[in-house]
Amino acid sequence: MSNWDLMMPGMGLTAIGLAGVVISYSGLAHTFIDGMHALTGLTMMIGLIFLATGILDGGISTSNRAKATMLVVLSIVLAFGMAGFLFNTISTTGVFAGILIAITFPAVIMAYVATKKPQYTKSLGAIFAMAAAAGIVSYMAFGLVGPDTYLIPEEVPEEIPEPEPEPFTGNIVTATILNGSDIQGNPDYLPDELVVSVGSGIEWFNEDLVAHTVSSMDDVGATFDSGLINAGDTYFLDTTPLAVGEYTYFCIVHPWMQSIFTIQDAQVMPDETITDETPEVEG
């Protein structure tokens, strides 16, 4: 004879847990996919424990009808589980199945004890305590193995702030991008030919109303390139890495704008003059 006092809460918990598992794995609630499937799965298993205990209270039925019913239920469950493994891409399906299997064994043992030794499992509190203990032990056991890596938040490396560049202490030569230089034929860069010493810096100020660039012409900006210099902005070029020589630069946006700057060595003191005269030796 089944015990409805156990079957009713068992059916309720099983239904609630099953609904949560279906919702979390069906993609309807992506927010809860990391926690909802575990919580509702445990609720479903606790409900099944209550349900199995209530059904088996009074003995296991050995009739052909009971055997046929059990065969149908097992076939549906196994087919559903096999389809779930084959036709989904969720990485935690295997872990979830392992948890269910780990909980199933103590559930079967509890159901058997409730049937054969009902004096130990009469109160609902005892059944709930055993089910909770089984869930905690299973959780701790799987915790030793470790969850999927996607459940563990990635460690964000501490960002080391880049040191601020030291202020330029060399000589700075100024140049100007003239107003109206976007019109072909108008004066563009001032001065048109600029001479600086090694290690100097050049700063261009854009007086025009449109954006321009200061880009090396021979390699189309590979040696130096300011990017767009908006109206009223400046571009600073440290010539220290550049070799001594002449550099033609232009505006990529307005290629008729061209100019030159030359890098020269700093003045070097002249060497002492060496003569070929041999001092006379007194005889």
Side-chain angles (χ1 to χ4, degrees):
M1 188 68 182
S2 300
N3 187 341
W4 283 94
D5 291 335
L6 296 176
M7 291 177 61
M8 290 300 293
M11 287 186 288
L13 291 173
T14 302
I16 294 172
L18 183 60
V21 171
V22 171
I23 290 174
S24 61
Y25 274 94
S26 64
L28 298 177
H30 293 289
T31 305
F32 304 105
I33 194 66
D34 292 340
M36 190 176 183
H37 70 284
L39 179 62
T40 54
L42 185 59
T43 302
M44 182 180 68
M45 293 308 300
I46 294 176
L48 289 174
I49 293 173
F50 276 82
L51 186 60
T53 304
I55 293 174
L56 297 175
D57 189 19
I60 302 175
S61 177
T62 57
S63 65
N64 291 332
R65 183 179 299 177
K67 293 178 181 178
T69 302
M70 182 60 65
L71 181 61
V72 171
V73 172
L74 288 177
S75 300
I76 293 173
V77 170
L78 292 176
F80 183 86
M82 185 62 66
F85 268 105
L86 295 177
F87 301 109
N88 82 87
T89 58
I90 299 174
S91 60
T92 55
T93 302
V95 177
F96 181 70
I99 293 175
L100 294 182
I101 293 173
I103 297 177
T104 299
F105 287 109
V108 172
I109 295 174
M110 290 178 197
Y112 179 81
V113 172
T115 302
K116 297 298 183 179
K117 304 290 184 179
Q119 65 272 21
Y120 298 113
T121 58
K122 284 185 178 180
S123 64
L124 293 176
I127 298 174
F128 183 81
M130 287 188 289
I136 293 173
V137 171
S138 301
Y139 175 81
M140 296 300 293
F142 275 89
L144 296 176
V145 177
D148 270 8
T149 54
Y150 95 101
L151 292 175
I152 303 175
E154 296 182 0
E155 293 184 3
V156 179
E158 183 179 354
E159 294 184 359
I160 301 176
E162 296 182 358
E164 296 183 359
E166 297 182 359
F168 186 79
T169 57
N171 183 42
I172 298 177
V173 179
T174 59
T176 306
I177 303 175
L178 297 175
N179 187 19
S181 57
D182 59 310
I183 301 175
Q184 189 170 2
N186 284 354
D188 40 41
Y189 299 102
L190 184 71
D192 193 47
E193 295 185 6
L194 186 64
V195 179
V196 298
S197 60
V198 173
S200 297
I202 308 175
E203 187 173 58
W204 285 267
F205 175 73
N206 185 9
E207 289 185 349
D208 202 1
L209 301 179
V210 297
H212 296 284
T213 75
V214 173
S215 310
S216 55
M217 188 171 180
D218 294 340
D219 50 16
V220 193
T223 303
F224 57 88
D225 182 21
S226 64
L228 288 178
I229 310 172
N230 293 320
D233 289 347
T234 59
Y235 166 61
F236 178 77
L237 173 65
D238 183 2
T239 64
T240 303
L242 303 181
V244 173
E246 185 177 273
Y247 295 87
T248 302
Y249 63 93
F250 76 123
C251 174
I252 294 178
V253 183
H254 311 96
W256 57 85
M257 296 174 54
Q258 300 178 16
S259 189
I260 298 172
F261 69 82
T262 304
I263 302 177
Q264 293 183 347
D265 280 325
Q267 292 183 354
V268 181
M269 294 296 292
D271 295 335
E272 293 183 0
T273 303
I274 302 176
T275 63
D276 294 334
E277 295 180 359
T278 306
E280 295 181 0
V281 180
E282 296 180 357

